[in-house]
Amino acid sequence: MALAIAESERVRGTTSPNPPVGCVILDEDGKAVGFGATQPVGGSHAEVMALKEAGTKARGGTAVVTLEPCAHYGRTPPCTEALREAGIKHVVHAISDPNPRAAGGAKVLEEAGVTVESGLLADDVAKGPLRAWLHYARTGRPHVTWKYAASLDGRIAASDGTSQWISSETSRKEVHDLRTKLDAIMVGTNTVRTDDPALTARDAGGMPLPRQPLPVVVGMSDLPGGAKLQQTALHLRTHDPDTVLKALAERGVVDVLLEGGPTLAGAFLRAGRIDRVLAYVAPALLGDGPAAVLGAGVSTITDAVRLTVEDVTMSGPDLRISAVPQT
């Protein structure tokens, strides 16, 4: 299953609105003979890709897959049919499909005489490559990660407005690697005016990587003439988070990174539309300067947005914290 998760991670960001599923085929002796992951929309699913690589070695073997095999006809035939025709005798999946239209694969396989197990490394899959898609399937909304970099005293810039660079080169590289796996990056119009970002994913040399997320600007104001995003960004003229997410969902966007600024982050927090917080905290003190979030609707301590910390690790000299709102 760990290998299947790695296959899933490899294609994250290329499959939306389909899930980035990973699959490994084991032969009768338990040897891995086929690896596969979901192809871009219209292409084969993970199980079919793994079966193609395994060939006749799949007969009598086991399919290990991150998501329950689909049992419906969509753009491609059901994966349950492909598994059955290949002679697979055992299927292990991490998570049952929450999409009613595609669910039921386990039952179909069992009725065909295939033994099925569910739940293996389910938490790793749910917090890993399938996190955003599972949220999208259950809510109909894109998953929003609010990413910010701040000093140890919670400032995202100095009092004169300078902010390059609060976080380390290591952290910035991590963020660029993350961008390649996302569907969209979102900022507000004030961030465009202040920072003139490009919102591109770049390599260590500063060159754009082959796959780029959709740049999104939120706000009523026109973008400044000559802004890097003027010709490339989707400009959504609204201040309502739900209107933004509806427009993105209609474009097949599943995984969104909210990068700025504090007012936009506050609006999404106030609306309960932040699904994950990814904070890079630098070992620096600024004293004055703008805070990471403004207007979150918290007026007293009892209104605080409480989070559950999932992971804390070092990113170069910085502290990287991943947390999700408590439910």
Side-chain angles (χ1 to χ4, degrees), residues 61-110:
T62 299
V64 182
V65 60
T66 55
L67 185 68
E68 177 186 15
C70 66
H72 76 297
Y73 280 88
R75 293 184 178 91
T76 61
C79 291
T80 50
E81 186 175 305
L83 292 166
R84 183 181 57 78
E85 289 179 352
I88 290 292
K89 295 300 183 183
H90 188 52
V91 170
V92 180
H93 66 269
I95 293 177
S96 298
D97 198 323
N99 182 352
R101 184 165 170 262
K107 183 179 179 181
V108 170
L109 288 168
E110 287 172 339

Side-chain angles (χ1 to χ4, degrees), residues 178-190:
L178 174 62
R179 284 179 173 184
T180 65
K181 300 176 181 180
L182 298 166
D183 297 324
I185 305 177
M186 179 167 51
V187 297
T189 51
N190 190 55

Side-chain angles (χ1 to χ4, degrees), residues 104-212:
K107 183 179 179 181
V108 170
L109 288 168
E110 287 172 339
E111 290 175 349
V114 178
T115 59
V116 179
E117 295 181 43
S118 177
L120 182 62
L121 297 188
D123 195 51
D124 291 14
V125 171
K127 291 180 179 178
L130 283 182
R131 179 200 294 262
W133 183 84
L134 289 169
H135 170 86
Y136 178 81
R138 290 164 179 157
T139 68
R141 297 191 307 269
H143 180 277
V144 177
T145 295
W146 170 38
K147 189 280 298 181
Y148 70 90
S151 61
L152 197 58
D153 52 349
R155 306 297 178 178
I156 61 170
S159 58
D160 66 353
T162 55
S163 61
Q164 295 182 339
W165 298 100
I166 289 178
S167 60
S168 67
E169 184 177 347
T170 300
S171 295
R172 297 195 299 274
K173 182 182 184 304
E174 277 191 10
V175 171
H176 279 285
D177 291 342
L178 174 62
R179 284 179 173 184
T180 65
K181 300 176 181 180
L182 298 166
D183 297 324
I185 305 177
M186 179 167 51
V187 297
T189 51
N190 190 55
T191 295
V192 177
R193 286 193 297 271
T194 303
D195 297 337
D196 191 24
L199 301 186
T200 52
R202 300 184 294 276
D203 63 19
M207 297 300 293
L209 292 166
R211 187 188 177 279
Q212 295 291 326

Side-chain angles (χ1 to χ4, degrees), residues 53 270 276 285:
E53 184 172 291
R270 191 168 60 249
R276 180 190 180 208
L285 300 171

Side-chain angles (χ1 to χ4, degrees), residues 178-258:
L178 174 62
R179 284 179 173 184
T180 65
K181 300 176 181 180
L182 298 166
D183 297 324
I185 305 177
M186 179 167 51
V187 297
T189 51
N190 190 55
T191 295
V192 177
R193 286 193 297 271
T194 303
D195 297 337
D196 191 24
L199 301 186
T200 52
R202 300 184 294 276
D203 63 19
M207 297 300 293
L209 292 166
R211 187 188 177 279
Q212 295 291 326
L214 171 70
V216 180
V217 179
V218 177
M220 302 301 292
S221 304
D222 290 338
L223 302 187
K228 294 185 181 75
L229 293 175
Q230 194 171 47
Q231 302 300 321
T232 60
L234 171 65
H235 187 183
L236 299 174
R237 295 179 181 269
T238 179
H239 291 141
D240 177 46
D242 282 331
T243 300
V244 171
L245 295 177
K246 182 175 184 293
L248 294 179
E250 289 172 350
R251 288 168 171 79
V253 169
V254 171
D255 203 353
V256 180
L257 190 68
L258 193 164

